[in-house]
Amino acid sequence: MRDHSRHRLALITSRYAARQQEKLASDRRAFDDAFRAVSGEVIKPVLEEVASELRSAGHVPRIALDEEPEAPSVALELGIRGASAPPGADRIAFAVIQRREAPEVLAYLIVRPPPMDLLRFASPAEITAYQVEQLVIDAIEHIFACRSV
């Protein structure tokens, strides 16, 4: 191949790669924006309701925004009365992750034993208040069961 053609091909492929990166970055921004919207409209209100119930039972829950290793994120730290949990334990979180080509929303909990994935959402629009409530209540039951042994 002639040097001219090799250089031209390198220019074409590098421009293509740059455009693909721009598209991925744009798609990720849109996904993150969609997550932030559903987080504010669906996830956080459910977590606030659950936190209120936990407070009325004498616990000290806290809602944390974008404090997870991957962001955007929203998490509920249970603040279980009488439990000597390490910082950041006893937590249910929703965070945008990107382990594959497309980003996903991962719901997970952190309790002793180590973190456990609960559910993945391909689209933030799929997340409903009913799902969040059920997932959080099930996770709380698991955490309290771990703490009561």
Side-chain angles (χ1 to χ4, degrees), residues 62 64 67-69 75-79 85-93 108-112 115 143 147:
R62 180 177 89 86
E67 293 180 19
E68 297 304 303
L76 172 63
E77 293 178 3
L78 300 187
D90 299 340
R91 184 171 76 240
I92 301 122
Y108 59 95
L109 69 93
I110 296 180
V111 65
R112 284 180 297 188
I143 291 169
R147 289 281 166 233

Side-chain angles (χ1 to χ4, degrees), residues 94-107:
F94 295 79
V96 174
I97 62 166
Q98 191 150 4
R99 306 282 194 284
R100 302 177 186 129
E101 188 173 325
E104 301 172 289
V105 175
L106 175 64

